[in-house]
C-alpha cells in the first residue's frame, strides 16, 4: 500500500490543486452539521468534511475503541498514541483513494459521511489542557529587544541558551471566527505619573504556530528529543493576541500576565506531524551549542509559508501585511517540549505550545504590529487611505499557512478574528 504522503495519490473526492486539504494532508477537526447531531471528529478533504464517527459506526474505521470519534474533542483519539494515529491516517487515506470502491461506490455511506464544508460548523478541536507560549524567533526577540532596551542589550543573556516561555491561559483559547473583545487593563504610558484602568489602546496580534501535545509525560521525568517528537500530534495556526500597553506596565519582573490572557485564537484543523514530514528542514545553526539535553540531531523545523491579512471594516478585502516562514525559528517545538519537561514538569494530552511570534530577517516578514509599525512610530498604509499602528475596533485579521509540495499543498486553512469594542 502506498504511503499516505505519496504525492501521486488522488482522491475520488474532487480537490482543487490550490486547496489546503488534498489527500496528502487529512487534518483532524471537530465539526457539527445541519443534521442536528452533536459535534464530532472529522477530517478535511477538499471542500468536504469526512465524518469519522459515521465511518466508525459503519465498521469502516476501527481504532479498537468504539466512540472515540463521537465526542466534541480529539483528546480521546490523541490518547491512543502515535502508532494508532499513523494507522488511522493510513486507513482514512485508503478509504478516500480514487481507485478504492469501498466508499467511492457506496452512495448511501457517502451521503452520510461526506459533509460539504459550507454546511459544517467548526469547533475548538481539543480540550486545551494547558497553554504555554514561547519566544523562540531570534529576529522577533531582537526587534523587540532593540525597541525596549537598545541595540546593545537586545537579546537577554539567557536567550541563546534555552527556549524562553511563560505559562498562559488555556481557558481563553478559542477557535477561528470567534470575536475578540478589546481587553481592559492597567495602563501607564511613560508620560503618566500614575496608572489608570481602561480599554487597551495598543492591541496587537502575534503570528505563531501551535504544537498540540497528544501524549502525557510523567511528573519528574525528562524527555529525549525522540520522545518529545513522538508526543506531538500536530500543529495549528495560532494568534497570540497581545495588549502592548498593558504588557509594558505589568511585565516586570514576572513576564506577561493580563496582556496575553484575554484571547488566543487557533485554526480549526490540526495538521498532523506525519503530514508535515516531507517538509522538515534544519533550523538556523545554534551558536553557542545548546546544553546536551537540548541538542537535536533531527531536522525539527518545517518549511511552512505563512501570511497575515488585515481588513478594516470599510475595506472590501484584506491586505497582506506580513509574509514569512516557520523555518526561521531558532528553537524548534521539539526543543520547547524537551525544555518544558526538563524540570520534571508533567505534560498532558491537549497541551498547546505557542511557538512565539514568527518573524523573518526581512522587514516584510515581521509577525506583529509592534514590529511592523516599529512600536507605533511607522504607521502602515492600507488601501482607501487607512493607516494603522495597532488594531482598531472591527478590524479583522486572518493568518494562512501551507507547505508547498510538487503539485499539491499541505495547508492549515485559516485562523480569523475580528475585534469588537470593549464594553
Ligand atoms: Mn506570543
Amino acid at each position: 500500500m502506498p504511503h499516505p504522503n505519496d504525492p501521486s495519490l488522488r482522491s475520488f473526492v474532487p480537490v482543487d490543486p490550490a486547496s489546503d486539504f488534498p489527500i496528502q494532508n487529512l487534518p483532524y477537526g471537530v465539526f457539527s452539521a445541519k443534521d442536528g447531531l452533536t459535534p464530532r471528529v472529522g477530517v478535511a478533504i477538499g471542500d468536504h468534511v469526512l465524518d469519522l464517527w459515521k465511518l466508525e459506526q459503519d465498521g469502516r474505521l476501527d481504532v479498537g475503541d468504539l466512540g472515540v470519534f463521537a465526542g466534541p474533542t480529539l483528546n480521546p483519539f490523541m490518547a491512543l498514541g502515535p502508532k494508532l494515529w499513523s494507522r488511522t491516517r493510513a486507513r482514512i487515506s485508503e478509504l478516500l483513494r480514487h481507485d478504492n470502491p469501498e466508499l467511492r461506490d457506496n452512495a448511501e455511506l457517502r451521503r452520510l459521511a461526506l459533509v460539504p464544508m459550507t454546511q459544517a460548523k467548526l469547533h475548538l478541536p481539543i480540550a486545551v489542557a494547558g497553554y504555554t507560549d514561547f519566544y523562540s524567533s531570534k529576529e522577533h526577540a531582537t526587534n523587540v529587544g532593540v525597541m525596549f532596551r537598545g541595540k546593545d542589550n537586545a537579546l537577554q543573556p539567557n536567550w541563546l541558551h534555552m527556549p524562553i516561555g511563560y505559562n498562559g491561559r488555556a481557558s481563553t483559547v478559542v477557535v477561528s471566527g470567534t470575536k475578540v473583545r478589546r481587553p481592559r487593563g492597567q495602563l501607564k504610558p511613560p508620560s503618566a505619573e500614575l496608572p489608570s484602568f481602561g480599554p487597551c489602546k495598543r492591541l496587537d496580534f502575534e503570528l505563531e504556530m501551535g504544537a498540540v501535545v497528544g501524549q502525557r509525560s510523567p511528573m519528574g521525568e525528562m524527555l529525549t528529543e525522540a520522545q518529545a517528537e513522538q508526543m506531538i500530534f500536530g500543529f495549528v495556526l495560532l494568534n497570540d493576541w497581545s495588549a502592548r500597553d498593558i504588557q509594558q506596565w505589568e511585565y516586570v519582573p514576572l513576564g506577561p500576565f493580563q496582556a496575553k490572557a484575554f484571547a488566543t485564537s487557533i485554526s480549526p484543523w490540526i495538521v498532523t506531524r506525519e503530514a508535515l514530514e516531507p517538509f522538515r528542514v534544519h533550523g538556523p545553526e545554534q551558536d553557542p551549542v545548546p546544553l546536551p539535553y537540548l541538542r537535536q540531531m533531527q531536522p525539527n523545523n518545517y518549511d511552512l509559508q505563512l501570511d497575515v491579512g488585515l481588513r478594516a471594516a470599510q475595506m472590501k478585502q484584506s491586505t497582506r501585511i506580513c509574509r514569512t516562514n516557520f523555518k526561521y525559528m531558532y528553537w524548534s517545538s521539539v526543543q520547547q517540549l524537551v525544555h518544558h519537561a526538563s524540570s520534571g514538569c508533567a505534560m498532558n494530552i491537549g497541551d498547546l505550545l505557542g511557538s512565539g511570534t514568527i518573524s523573518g530577517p526581512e522587514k516584510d516578514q515581521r509577525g506583529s504590529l509592534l514590529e511592523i509599525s516599529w512600536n507605533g512610530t511607522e504607521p502602515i498604509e492600507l488601501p482607501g487611505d487607512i493607516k494603522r499602528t495597532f488594531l482598531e475596533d472591527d478590524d479583522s485579521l486572518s493568518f494562512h499557512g501551507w507547505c508547498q509540495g510538487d503539485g499539491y499543498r499541505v495547508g492549515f486553512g485559516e485562523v480569523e478574528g475580528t475585534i469588537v469594542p470593549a464594553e
Side-chain angles (χ1 to χ4, degrees):
M1 203 168 73
H3 190 276
N5 289 347
D6 189 328
S8 71
L9 291 186
R10 282 186 295 127
S11 175
F12 67 85
V13 180
V15 180
D16 189 281
S19 170
D20 277 346
F21 310 124
I23 193 169
Q24 289 83 3
N25 190 350
L26 307 178
Y28 292 95
V30 168
F31 77 104
S32 54
K34 288 174 178 163
D35 52 20
L37 296 178
T38 51
R40 55 203 182 271
V41 175
V43 155
I45 176 77
D47 294 332
H48 286 80
V49 181
L50 182 67
D51 186 331
L52 300 191
W53 171 225
K54 287 273 156 57
L55 294 178
E56 205 182 8
Q57 283 174 301
D58 200 61
R60 306 284 166 169
L61 190 60
D62 182 7
V63 293
D65 188 2
L66 188 69
V68 89
F69 297 121
T73 77
L74 274 153
N75 297 47
F77 176 58
M78 293 196 291
L80 299 178
K83 281 205 184 90
L84 249 299
W85 306 342
S86 192
R87 210 192 300 159
T88 304
R89 181 164 176 267
R91 174 63 181 146
I92 295 166
S93 172
E94 186 186 27
L95 280 167
L96 286 169
R97 278 173 53 175
H98 77 288
D99 53 0
N100 180 359
E102 232 179 311
L103 178 58
R104 187 192 68 192
D105 296 349
N106 185 336
E108 177 62 8
L109 184 58
R110 245 181 21 238
R111 191 184 62 79
L112 288 170
L114 276 170
V115 179
M117 203 77 93
T118 49
Q119 289 176 27
K121 179 173 158 53
L122 300 171
H123 302 266
L124 191 68
I126 54 172
V128 183
Y131 167 50
T132 307
D133 193 39
F134 287 89
Y135 188 55
S136 288
S137 153
K138 193 175 176 185
E139 289 81 5
H140 171 71
T142 303
N143 283 340
V144 174
V146 169
M147 274 181 257
F148 291 117
R149 285 181 299 275
K151 244 189 176 106
D152 297 333
N153 299 303
L155 282 188
Q156 299 282 8
N158 56 10
W159 199 93
L160 290 168
H161 296 278
M162 62 178 152
I164 301 298
Y166 65 93
N167 287 301
R169 291 294 298 171
S171 58
T172 27
V173 176
V174 294
V175 74
S176 175
T178 308
K179 300 242 189 286
V180 173
R181 186 169 296 282
R182 178 177 296 275
R184 287 146 299 181
Q186 276 205 24
L187 315 170
K188 196 191 95 55
S191 56
E193 202 176 314
L194 290 168
S196 57
F197 186 86
C200 160
K201 295 188 180 72
R202 291 158 69 90
L203 184 54
D204 201 353
F205 72 90
E206 290 190 340
L207 170 63
E208 304 195 19
M209 294 299 298
V212 177
V213 177
Q215 290 281 279
R216 288 177 211 293
S217 73
M219 182 174 168
E221 288 185 21
M222 293 181 72
L223 295 171
T224 63
E225 176 190 7
Q227 287 169 330
E229 197 218 333
Q230 287 293 304
M231 285 170 63
I232 295 175
F233 176 72
F235 291 83
V236 289
L237 299 166
L238 185 149
N239 185 347
D240 180 32
W241 302 98
S242 298
R244 299 300 179 194
D245 40 7
I246 298 173
Q247 184 177 356
Q248 200 168 11
W249 169 234
E250 76 174 2
Y251 89 106
V252 183
L254 287 184
F257 184 47
Q258 293 301 295
K260 309 269 194 170
F262 60 95
T264 304
S265 301
I266 65 171
S267 54
W269 297 109
I270 305 177
V271 176
T272 62
R273 178 168 47 78
E274 192 179 271
L276 296 172
E277 189 71 31
F279 308 99
R280 283 170 78 145
V281 291
H282 285 282
E285 193 195 335
Q286 297 188 312
D287 179 22
V289 174
L291 290 168
Y293 81 102
L294 278 174
R295 282 180 205 160
Q296 52 183 2
M297 305 303 291
Q298 299 297 319
N300 290 323
N301 280 31
Y302 296 97
D303 183 0
L304 195 168
Q305 303 180 49
L306 292 159
D307 69 32
V308 178
L310 170 58
R311 189 173 59 79
Q314 56 274 52
M315 287 162 64
K316 282 211 175 66
Q317 54 190 33
S318 75
T319 286
R320 193 167 71 204
I321 58 169
C322 163
R323 179 153 198 185
T324 186
N325 196 303
F326 193 33
K327 71 182 176 188
Y328 297 124
M329 297 307 278
Y330 190 86
W331 298 103
S332 70
S333 305
V334 169
Q335 287 177 311
Q336 291 172 343
L337 184 49
V338 165
H339 182 64
H340 209 321
S342 64
S343 61
C345 173
M347 301 306 295
N348 280 319
I349 296 167
D351 278 344
L352 180 65
L353 309 185
S355 61
T357 307
I358 304 164
S359 293
E362 305 300 329
K363 213 172 166 179
D364 62 353
Q365 295 177 323
R366 294 170 177 171
S368 67
L369 281 171
L370 177 69
E371 293 164 275
I372 295 171
S373 76
W374 207 253
N375 202 16
T377 60
E378 299 171 14
I380 52 168
E381 296 190 11
L382 303 169
D385 221 11
I386 298 166
K387 287 195 172 65
R388 282 292 179 276
T389 48
F390 293 95
L391 296 169
E392 307 276 331
D393 290 342
D394 303 316
D395 282 358
S396 163
L397 266 184
S398 50
F399 301 173
H400 297 96
W402 67 97
C403 298
Q404 189 62 53
D406 189 6
Y408 68 99
R409 56 158 64 169
V410 171
F412 286 77
E414 176 181 67
V415 60
E416 188 274 342
T418 300
I419 307 300
V420 296
E423 262 168 349

